[in-house]
């Protein structure tokens, strides 16, 4: 995958996490306590446009926010479905 596309995906994931934290009234310090990591690590993770999020890490963050992680694959609108 081209680096530019990876950066966009990471930035979207970072934004989704930050929005969900705001909706749940969770500060970065709250997340750090729940994840048992330092607040600096939380800040670095959320500010890093090149972070390589692993599914297991995203699941840990979802659990810390008392959320379920859902990953979906949707058919592209610009291509016919292949069988």
């Amino acid at each position: 995958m081209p680096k530019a596309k990876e950066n966009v995906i990471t930035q979207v994931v970072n934004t989704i996490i930050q929005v969900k934290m705001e909706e749940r009234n969770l500060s970065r310090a709250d997340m750090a306590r729940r994840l048992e990591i330092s607040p600096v690590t939380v800040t670095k993770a959320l500010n890093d446009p090149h972070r390589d999020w692993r599914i297991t890490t995203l699941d840990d963050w979802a659990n810390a926010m008392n959320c379920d992680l859902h990953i979906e694959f949707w058919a592209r609108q610009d291509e016919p479905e292949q069988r």
Side-chain angles (χ1 to χ4, degrees):
M1 181 181 323
K3 286 287 184 193
K5 190 169 185 178
E6 288 177 6
N7 292 349
V8 170
I9 292 169
T10 298
Q11 290 171 0
V12 168
V13 169
N14 291 357
T15 299
I16 290 168
I17 291 170
Q18 292 177 71
V19 167
K20 188 54 67 178
M21 286 170 57
E22 288 176 19
E23 289 174 359
R24 314 283 294 166
N25 294 316
L26 294 169
S27 68
R28 291 178 181 209
D30 295 330
M31 287 297 290
R33 277 191 295 280
R34 291 176 179 209
L35 291 165
E36 299 179 352
I37 60 178
S38 74
V40 170
T41 302
V42 171
T43 296
K44 284 182 179 180
L46 294 175
N47 291 341
D48 183 356
H50 306 288
R51 181 171 177 84
D52 185 12
W53 287 101
R54 295 177 185 265
I55 293 173
T56 53
T57 304
L58 288 172
D59 191 48
D60 290 342
W61 283 60
N63 285 330
M65 294 184 284
N66 198 28
C67 295
D68 291 323
L69 176 66
H70 293 265
I71 298 173
E72 298 182 48
F73 293 88
W74 294 18
R76 293 183 181 141
Q77 298 301 316
D78 60 343
E79 292 181 20
E81 277 191 49
Q82 296 180 356
R83 294 191 178 224

